[in-house]
Amino acid sequence: MEVKNCKGCKKLFNYIGGVQLCPVCREALEDKFQAVKKYIYENPKASLVEISEDNDVSNTQLRQWIREERLMFTEDSVIGIECENCGTRINTGRFCRRCKETLANTLNSAYQKPAVRDEQKKSQNSASRMRFLEGWNNSN
Ligand SMILES: [Zn+2]
Ligand SMILES: [Zn+2]
């Protein structure tokens, strides 16, 4: 088990992966998330700044929730973040619909090829290393 400093309260805690928060802060954050979700539901026209100020949540945290697709906004909402690929305004997630499709296509078509190429490179490397070792042994 790994011991880390909690990003929230700076106390040491047993880190089990995921968010670097102690169980107390993790729970507090979850409470906050639920509060924010409720707030957005009740104030659909609120801006990110308003949400952040009224709920005492950092803008960074809000954006992270949006990236994780935990917070969703309606199409006509004033809230938006940028697609990580092309910068288009999106309501949730990391990429706009168009980039998502393009990325999915690229991933599918190139899925196995790079791995195969890497394998070949690796075996070539070890082959040349073998030759080098043989030469070294002979000269010794
Ligand atoms: Zn903590
Ligand atoms: Zn995009």
Side-chain angles (χ1 to χ4, degrees):
M1 188 113 53
E2 207 179 335
V3 176
K4 277 187 193 266
N5 280 98
C6 168
K7 270 191 173 177
C9 63
K10 312 288 179 223
K11 275 187 201 145
L12 285 172
F13 73 106
N14 288 324
Y15 181 63
I16 46 159
V19 206
Q20 275 183 44
L21 288 174
C22 72
V24 178
C25 290
R26 207 182 280 233
E27 205 170 297
L29 188 67
E30 191 54 38
D31 282 354
K32 198 136 267 191
F33 172 72
Q34 295 304 334
V36 167
K37 220 167 109 172
K38 188 160 168 275
Y39 177 90
I40 292 169
Y41 181 75
E42 286 164 359
N43 306 275
K45 294 265 185 283
S47 69
L48 268 188
V49 180
E50 283 169 323
I51 300 172
S52 142
E53 280 173 0
D54 287 351
N55 294 279
D56 192 26
V57 182
S58 73
N59 216 293
T60 321
Q61 182 59 65
L62 284 175
R63 292 172 78 94
Q64 194 186 317
W65 281 332
I66 301 172
R67 290 280 186 223
E68 289 169 354
E69 299 192 18
R70 294 188 73 189
L71 286 183
M72 301 268 196
F73 301 96
T74 50
E75 290 286 330
D76 61 345
S77 163
V78 288
I79 296 169
I81 52 173
E82 309 81 40
C83 163
E84 283 184 13
N85 192 48
C86 70
T88 297
R89 212 181 72 98
I90 51 173
N91 296 105
T92 192
R94 298 177 57 196
F95 303 108
C96 68
R97 207 172 301 158
R98 210 179 43 210
C99 288
K100 248 186 207 168
E101 271 167 28
T102 320
L103 284 169
N105 286 340
T106 328
L107 278 181
N108 284 339
S109 61
Y111 191 62
Q112 279 186 322
K113 282 174 205 156
V116 172
R117 233 179 287 136
D118 271 4
E119 272 310 305
Q120 280 169 351
K121 218 186 288 167
K122 240 180 265 167
S123 56
Q124 271 167 12
N125 279 347
S126 57
S128 56
R129 197 160 44 233
M130 287 291 280
R131 273 198 294 281
F132 170 76
L133 281 175
E134 275 163 30
W136 185 78
N137 280 336
N138 287 343
S139 68
N140 209 11

